[in-house]
Amino acid sequence: MKWVVRGNGDVHEVDVEPNGDGYSVVIDGRQSIPYTIASDLTFSADGSTHAYLARRGPHDGVLWNGQRAAVPAPVQGTLVLHPSGKHWACLTAIRGTGGLHLVVDGLPSKRFDMDELTAELARSRADPLTWRNTATAWIRRWVEVELTRALSRD
């Protein structure tokens, strides 16, 4: 599946394609090593920065402009880039904590409050049959907001 990413003049041809027993991310003809899983490919608003979740063997992580950060059990659908493209965040299931946590630039941060999500869904006027889509969008928005908050505290 090929697609083109455009942002402020930058145009990229992007693909996630089978490679042996796994998948490779191909950006502008440059192919990554094969991963068991490669997902959540995202670009910054200007198209200059990219990131994606990847698993190779038992190792999970985030690939950000070719740099790998170990992130155990990242949650698919939650990877976001800061508008500047200089920072990223996602949710992870940290073993032994019984919940999800925000990871900012590879460092564990704030715990994700599932009660807050449940309350938001209950308050929303979304059709319960579409709650999955609503919840996914709300969680991504929460990660974006918390990334901005974490960076403003630095």
Side-chain angles (χ1 to χ4, degrees):
M1 174 173 135
K2 290 188 180 188
W3 67 97
V4 175
V5 177
R6 291 183 174 86
N8 296 356
D10 280 354
V11 178
H12 301 284
E13 187 174 301
V14 180
D15 195 6
V16 177
E17 58 185 35
N19 184 346
D21 290 337
Y23 299 91
S24 288
V25 175
V26 181
I27 300 172
D28 297 333
R30 291 185 305 270
Q31 185 176 45
S32 73
I33 62 174
Y35 296 103
T36 311
I37 297 172
S39 69
D40 284 26
L41 179 60
T42 186
F43 280 79
S44 60
D46 68 0
S48 66
T49 304
H50 67 273
Y52 55 94
L53 302 179
R55 173 178 292 151
R56 185 170 170 96
H59 306 287
D60 292 328
V62 172
L63 276 291
W64 174 73
N65 279 351
Q67 300 174 14
R68 186 180 179 283
V71 176
V75 178
Q76 285 187 342
T78 67
L79 179 63
V80 299
L81 283 172
H82 187 266
S84 69
K86 295 179 182 177
H87 303 276
W88 58 268
C90 68
L91 290 179
T92 183
I94 298 177
R95 300 195 198 300
T97 65
L100 300 176
H101 288 76
L102 181 70
V103 173
V104 176
D105 296 335
L107 301 174
S109 183
K110 182 177 183 172
R111 182 180 169 89
F112 178 73
D113 187 349
M114 288 297 252
D115 291 338
E116 190 176 345
L117 172 61
T118 303
E120 184 67 25
L121 286 172
R123 280 193 300 271
S124 79
R125 300 205 184 274
D127 182 336
L129 292 176
T130 64
W131 274 10
R132 179 173 181 228
N133 294 337
T134 302
T136 301
W138 191 88
I139 290 168
R140 284 184 60 83
R141 181 68 186 130
W142 182 90
V143 172
E144 291 170 353
V145 167
E146 290 302 325
L147 171 59
T148 301
R149 285 183 183 161
L151 295 175
S152 69
R153 289 189 289 265
D154 292 345

